[in-house]
Amino acid sequence: MFWKSVVGKLAITILLLVSFVLFILTILLLQFFENFHIESAESDMLQTATKVSVLLEQHESRDLIAETTERVKDPASRVAILYEDSDVWVSEGGDDNLSRLEETWLQKEKLLEELDNNNEIRKQMLLPDGNTEAMIVGIPTPDNQGAIFVYQSLDVIDQTKAETTKIIFLAAGIAIILTVIFAFFLSTRITSPLIKMREAAFDLTRGEFDTKVPILTHDEIGELALAFNRMGRQLKFHINALRQEKEQLSSIVSSMADGVITLNRNGDMIVTNRPAERFIESLYYENNRAVSSEDRKLPDELNQILLQVIEGETEVLHEISLQGRNWVMLMTPLYDQTFVRGAVAVIRDMTEERRLDKLRKDFIANVSHELRTPISMLQGYSEAIVDDIAETKEQKNELGQIIHEESLRMGRLVNELLDLARMEAGHQQLQVEEIEVEPYLKRIVKKFSGLATEGKIRIELKHNIVKQTARFDPDRMEQVLINLIDNAIRHTCEEGHVTVYASNDNSELSIEIKDSGSGIPEDDLPFIFERFYKADKSRARNDKKKGTGLGLAIAKNIIDSHHGIITVKSKINEGTSFTIRLPHKRSS
């Protein structure tokens, strides 16, 4: 709407202000000119009366006085002379509505009485006919025995006043028209920069911070436009700074391995990253609740923690177990100055740490267990020799042989632990060479021919060699193959077989050690590469040579250091298959 705009409001305000001033001024001017015309007419009539008075003083001829009076008076007025003998002479007039004055009427209206009390009278009254309103002035004659009255109709004054009123109203109308034009011009000139600023402000709300308002003047509006442009530049700078900070914070939160959840006081999740979303999904699944992208409420299980953080204004540490995983959540209050406006929760998956801690404890227990048996045997058999319990030389040699075997077993255990520790610490350097695959594998398999024959086990090598050579550390790889083949023979019964399959193409070297032994239980398969893990010993065919439980762990570390992969497949009473894959092109 026009009157709701700044242009309309300013124009209407100026127009109303000017109209009010013109209205007051018109009233005052009309009153002024009305009084002015009346006073001017009365002054003219008094001047005529004075001239007639002079004539009466200088001449005695009434005819001459009458003739002269007719000439000096205004045609629109009439003159009435009251002589001392009460004779009344009234001049002719151009206005037929002006009736003649009579002494009785003058007496009735008490004009003569008022004239005696004053030197002159000025009055507006009805003439004797009762229809005409006239303006009358009067002065006494020079001898004070009579009176001179000059009167004329007020219609003349009214006509003059009407003409003056027309002129005033015309001037007022012209002034209003000029005011309207000036108001629109002024308001448009003032509001045009404001309209541009409004459009620029809308552009700012849409993110167009390069918008500038043209500076057309150097007054306050120009300074406002300059300040607006400066504000736009500052807004762009600060918005960009906030955007960069937000993107940086978002990148930090997204790249965190820990889950992060930002909450308000009502429990609404404002910011979450992917680990936190996985935690929430697991929590919903645990409580048989559907996950909804629209539902951003904190689960009820964690609301009590949020209330505790907000009411106590302190951080709370809480541990949660979900789907076999351990989560630790640290919730800290967020402040808006001194007011707690929400909380931030950092969630860490502690499953691996708990597992590693358990592995450390199990490692110490396993090492203690593995060392306790040979140490006890060394101590017992050595005491038997010292106390001469073994009487014959053969018995002493037998005890010494047991002590020797157990000491070798302890040494082997310590050496394997040291090797494994060096590999896991990355201190083991590989001596990689270009090795011919077929002769290398034949040599290793040949080493076990005697052991296999002794156990009535058939061992053979099968190969599909496309590329004759491969690059690896021959000593370390031989350690892996010996461990795998030895395990295969020890867990294979008589009349069984152990087969080594080898293939070497342009992409990788693949070696599979397959046996027809007792197999590995499915529950044990995920753990066989862990340190000191041993499957059920009752499945081992040969119990004379006891393992340390570190062979497969060492083998996996050696294959990992070659950037390869070792996998296992097994079925109970059907056999086990270990597969090694070494890529020719290794990633750094």
Side-chain angles (χ1 to χ4, degrees):
M1 303 300 287
F2 170 75
W3 56 83
K4 291 184 178 180
S5 64
V6 177
V7 176
K9 290 178 180 178
L10 186 59
I12 291 174
T13 301
I14 295 175
L15 183 60
L16 291 176
L17 179 61
V18 173
S19 299
F20 178 74
V21 173
L22 288 177
F23 175 74
I24 300 298
L25 185 61
T26 300
I27 294 176
L28 294 177
L29 286 176
L30 289 175
Q31 188 65 34
F32 169 76
F33 280 110
E34 182 179 3
N35 294 333
F36 173 77
H37 289 312
I38 292 175
E39 291 178 357
S40 177
E42 289 177 348
S43 298
D44 290 341
M45 288 189 295
L46 281 175
Q47 187 177 3
T48 301
T50 302
K51 291 178 179 179
V52 174
S53 176
V54 172
L55 286 175
L56 290 174
E57 184 180 2
Q58 294 179 353
H59 301 282
E60 294 181 359
S61 174
R62 293 187 178 184
D63 294 334
L64 178 62
I65 293 172
E67 183 180 356
T68 305
T69 301
E70 290 288 351
R71 293 179 179 179
V72 300
K73 75 175 183 65
D74 188 345
S77 61
R78 299 184 75 172
V79 179
I81 302 174
L82 178 62
Y83 292 99
E84 62 275 7
D85 56 0
S86 300
D87 186 16
V88 178
W89 176 82
V90 180
S91 67
E92 298 295 332
D95 189 356
D96 297 335
N97 294 325
L98 292 175
S99 59
R100 297 175 63 88
L101 299 184
E102 298 177 355
E103 182 181 6
T104 55
W105 182 80
L106 295 174
Q107 293 289 347
K108 179 181 176 183
E109 297 295 334
K110 300 180 180 181
L111 294 179
L112 295 177
E113 184 179 348
E114 290 182 13
L115 191 59
D116 292 338
N117 297 328
N118 299 290
N119 292 327
E120 60 183 34
I121 60 172
R122 297 183 182 188
K123 295 194 70 174
Q124 296 176 15
M125 57 192 305
L126 291 174
L127 294 179
D129 59 5
N131 296 323
T132 304
E133 187 176 6
M135 180 173 55
I136 300 175
V137 298
I139 60 173
T141 56
D143 55 4
N144 292 324
Q145 298 299 318
I148 302 170
F149 295 97
V150 181
Y151 61 100
Q152 70 177 18
S153 175
L154 287 177
D155 292 340
V156 178
I157 303 299
D158 292 339
Q159 291 176 0
T160 304
K161 185 171 66 173
E163 293 296 330
T164 304
T165 303
K166 289 180 182 180
I167 294 173
I168 291 175
F169 279 117
L170 179 61
I174 295 174
I176 290 176
I177 293 173
L178 293 177
T179 300
V180 171
I181 296 174
F182 170 75
F184 276 100
F185 172 76
L186 179 62
S187 59
T188 303
R189 185 172 179 82
I190 292 175
T191 56
S192 177
L194 298 179
I195 294 174
K196 289 183 172 58
M197 290 182 195
R198 181 190 64 184
E199 295 173 353
F202 287 144
D203 292 338
L204 288 181
T205 59
R206 292 191 293 268
E208 300 175 5
F209 297 105
D210 293 328
T211 304
K212 292 185 178 180
V213 178
I215 302 173
L216 304 177
T217 59
H218 297 284
D219 52 7
E220 289 82 356
I221 295 179
E223 293 177 356
L224 179 60
L226 181 64
F228 187 91
N229 293 335
R230 185 179 296 118
M231 179 191 68
R233 291 193 298 270
Q234 291 295 322
L235 274 176
K236 181 179 180 181
F237 172 77
H238 291 300
I239 291 295
N240 288 335
L242 288 174
R243 184 182 295 111
Q244 292 176 1
E245 185 176 353
K246 180 180 178 181
E247 292 175 353
Q248 181 180 2
L249 182 61
S250 177
S251 300
I252 293 173
V253 172
S254 299
S255 61
M256 288 179 63
D258 296 336
V260 177
I261 305 176
T262 303
L263 308 162
N264 60 14
R265 292 180 64 92
N266 298 326
D268 298 321
M269 293 184 291
I270 302 172
V271 177
T272 58
N273 61 353
R274 185 54 192 159
E277 291 173 358
R278 287 197 296 267
F279 169 76
I280 296 298
E281 290 172 0
S282 299
L283 188 61
Y284 278 5
Y285 180 80
E286 184 78 12
N287 292 276
N288 298 321
R289 291 177 56 186
V291 180
S292 175
S293 58
E294 298 178 356
D295 185 10
R296 302 293 295 174
K297 282 288 186 181
L298 188 68
D300 297 336
E301 295 78 6
L302 305 180
N303 267 331
Q304 294 298 326
I305 304 175
L306 177 62
L307 291 175
Q308 185 178 351
V309 170
I310 293 176
E311 294 175 357
E313 298 188 12
T314 181
E315 62 181 25
V316 176
L317 185 66
H318 188 71
E319 188 167 347
I320 304 172
S321 296
L322 292 173
Q323 299 294 305
R325 305 193 70 85
N326 296 318
W327 303 84
V328 175
M329 182 175 66
L330 178 64
M331 190 175 292
T332 307
L334 286 177
Y335 288 93
D336 183 3
Q337 294 181 354
T338 59
F339 176 72
V340 179
R341 61 181 180 87
V344 59
V346 179
I347 304 167
R348 174 169 294 181
D349 187 356
M350 299 294 292
T351 307
E352 189 65 20
E353 285 78 359
R354 297 285 190 270
R355 189 182 70 84
L356 292 176
D357 187 55
K358 185 177 182 299
L359 285 177
R360 283 193 297 269
K361 294 178 181 178
D362 292 344
F363 175 76
I364 295 173
N366 290 329
V367 170
S368 301
H369 175 75
E370 293 292 336
L371 290 177
R372 182 176 59 185
T373 300
I375 289 175
S376 298
M377 295 180 70
L378 287 174
Q379 183 179 358
Y381 287 118
S382 62
E383 288 179 354
I385 295 174
V386 171
D387 295 339
D388 291 329
I389 295 177
E391 297 177 352
T392 64
K393 183 178 180 180
E394 289 78 8
Q395 290 178 340
K396 291 181 179 180
N397 290 336
E398 184 180 356
L399 294 177
Q401 182 65 29
I402 295 174
I403 293 173
H404 178 69
E405 290 178 357
E406 293 299 325
S407 64
L408 291 177
R409 181 183 172 192
M410 289 179 60
R412 189 167 60 252
L413 175 62
V414 172
N415 290 331
E416 288 180 352
L417 284 174
L418 292 174
D419 290 341
L420 186 59
R422 281 195 295 267
M423 290 178 188
E424 292 180 347
H427 296 158
Q428 187 69 33
Q429 297 295 327
L430 298 178
Q431 303 297 325
V432 179
E433 302 176 9
E434 194 78 22
I435 305 298
E436 292 188 6
V437 177
E438 185 177 353
Y440 178 79
L441 293 177
K442 285 183 178 179
R443 179 175 59 82
I444 295 175
V445 172
K446 188 175 181 181
K447 289 183 178 182
F448 290 93
S449 58
L451 181 62
T453 302
E454 182 183 349
K456 299 180 182 181
I457 298 171
R458 179 168 51 89
I459 183 170
E460 59 181 334
L461 172 64
K462 295 181 179 181
H463 57 78
N464 179 22
I465 306 298
V466 177
K467 184 179 179 182
Q468 297 299 321
T469 61
R471 289 182 58 81
F472 53 83
D473 186 331
D475 294 334
R476 291 299 177 184
M477 189 57 63
E478 182 176 350
Q479 182 180 357
V480 173
L481 293 175
I482 287 176
N483 184 279
L484 295 178
I485 296 173
D486 182 66
N487 285 342
I489 292 174
R490 287 194 298 112
H491 291 87
T492 302
C493 298
E494 293 181 358
E495 306 301 329
H497 62 84
V498 174
T499 306
V500 179
Y501 295 92
S503 66
N504 187 30
D505 53 23
N506 294 323
S507 61
E508 67 177 10
L509 169 63
S510 176
I511 302 172
E512 181 183 5
I513 295 91
K514 185 175 182 180
D515 64 62
S516 59
S518 57
I520 303 173
E522 184 178 352
D523 294 339
D524 292 334
L525 284 176
F527 310 103
I528 62 172
F529 292 110
E530 294 183 2
R531 291 171 293 187
F532 297 111
Y533 189 84
K534 298 177 183 179
D536 189 359
K537 295 179 181 179
S538 63
R539 291 196 303 275
R541 184 185 64 83
N542 186 4
D543 293 334
K544 293 181 180 179
K545 185 178 179 182
K546 299 179 180 179
T548 61
L550 297 173
L552 290 179
I554 294 174
K556 186 177 187 309
N557 273 276
I558 292 174
I559 299 302
D560 288 343
S561 63
H562 281 81
H563 302 283
I565 299 174
I566 181 170
T567 58
V568 59
K569 296 179 181 178
S570 182
K571 289 185 178 180
I572 296 296
N573 299 324
E574 291 186 13
T576 303
S577 173
F578 283 89
T579 303
I580 300 171
R581 289 186 174 86
L582 300 181
H584 293 314
K585 294 182 180 180
R586 300 167 188 170
S587 59
S588 58

